[in-house]
Amino acid sequence: MSSKQDLPPALHDYIQKSGVALAVSTTEGDAPLTAVNGAFCTLTGYTEDEVTGQNCRFLQGPETTEEERQPLHDFVHGKGGDNGRFPILNYRKDGSKFRNFVFMSRLYDSAGQARLILASQFDMTSAMQRSEITKNDARLSQALTDVEQIGREYGYAMMGSAQLIADSVATLARMSFTDPR
């Protein structure tokens, strides 16, 4: 099983410093988390020690639907493209609900094997206004650019993230006009 010690030091350091809620899981077994950052802990209310080694589904709760769960499950288990975006109802440690918009990308080793999944989370509960979407998109865009550069230095690759960002911006903009929450 991978651990945060197995991450390239520059990638681990970047994740820890990022203001975007980031988590890394291995593609092995049940895709346990190997590293999360402070922004993830702030968003969810859990500490890194509480979540390391667990699959992210611990954030799901009684009102999380199977329709929301299945696409995440499929992605984590290697189905579909190299990038995905998934809206899902999640729960913080204190039991409060939040609309999580999860962006995930597979990270490949130098042999072309998917080894890790990088996931960023955005609380879209109150961020449906256009200005919040623009700020989230700018942070995500910068985070993906930085992670891609660090990954290339260590033999990891993220496939197609530029298109993912473009598609995500369009989706978020559409959501801001159709979902008044």
Side-chain angles (χ1 to χ4, degrees):
M1 176 202 276
S2 296
S3 70
K4 62 185 169 186
Q5 291 78 23
D6 295 335
L7 293 177
L11 179 59
H12 181 265
D13 291 346
Y14 177 79
I15 289 167
Q16 294 307 314
K17 292 176 188 172
S18 178
V20 173
L22 297 174
V24 176
S25 68
T26 181
T27 57
E28 299 169 4
D30 197 30
L33 292 171
T34 60
V36 298
N37 66 2
F40 177 93
C41 295
T42 299
L43 174 63
T44 66
Y46 290 94
T47 66
E48 184 173 15
D49 289 341
E50 290 175 304
V51 302
T52 301
Q54 291 193 62
N55 179 290
C56 249
R57 76 177 151 269
F58 72 88
L59 293 171
Q60 298 171 11
E63 293 179 40
T64 307
T65 67
E66 187 58 32
E67 291 171 336
E68 294 172 314
R69 287 182 179 114
Q70 193 62 50
L72 282 152
H73 177 272
D74 291 347
F75 184 89
V76 166
H77 293 285
K79 297 178 184 170
D82 290 326
N83 301 291
R85 55 187 182 273
F86 310 94
I88 189 164
L89 179 65
N90 280 161
Y91 292 78
R92 294 180 179 88
K93 184 177 179 178
D94 68 7
S96 62
K97 297 183 266 187
F98 67 103
R99 281 269 153 215
N100 195 357
F101 208 62
V102 182
F103 298 84
M104 297 186 347
S105 293
R106 290 187 185 89
L107 301 179
Y108 291 83
D109 64 17
S110 57
Q113 292 292 111
R115 295 290 180 202
L116 302 170
I117 297 171
L118 173 67
S120 58
Q121 293 82 25
F122 293 98
D123 180 354
M124 297 305 291
T125 307
S126 63
M128 298 309 277
Q129 295 112 358
R130 192 172 195 77
S131 63
E132 289 298 316
I133 291 169
T134 302
K135 286 192 286 187
N136 283 344
D137 179 60
R139 289 194 314 244
L140 176 61
S141 179
Q142 185 60 52
L144 287 174
T145 299
D146 293 345
V147 168
E148 281 184 310
Q149 177 60 37
I150 291 167
R152 279 192 295 275
E153 292 172 14
Y154 289 91
Y156 285 103
M158 292 172 58
M159 308 299 183
S161 61
Q163 185 62 48
L164 173 67
I165 292 168
D167 291 346
S168 299
V169 171
T171 299
L172 291 172
R174 281 191 296 276
M175 287 172 54
S176 70
F177 294 110
T178 59
D179 188 356
R181 280 181 261 170

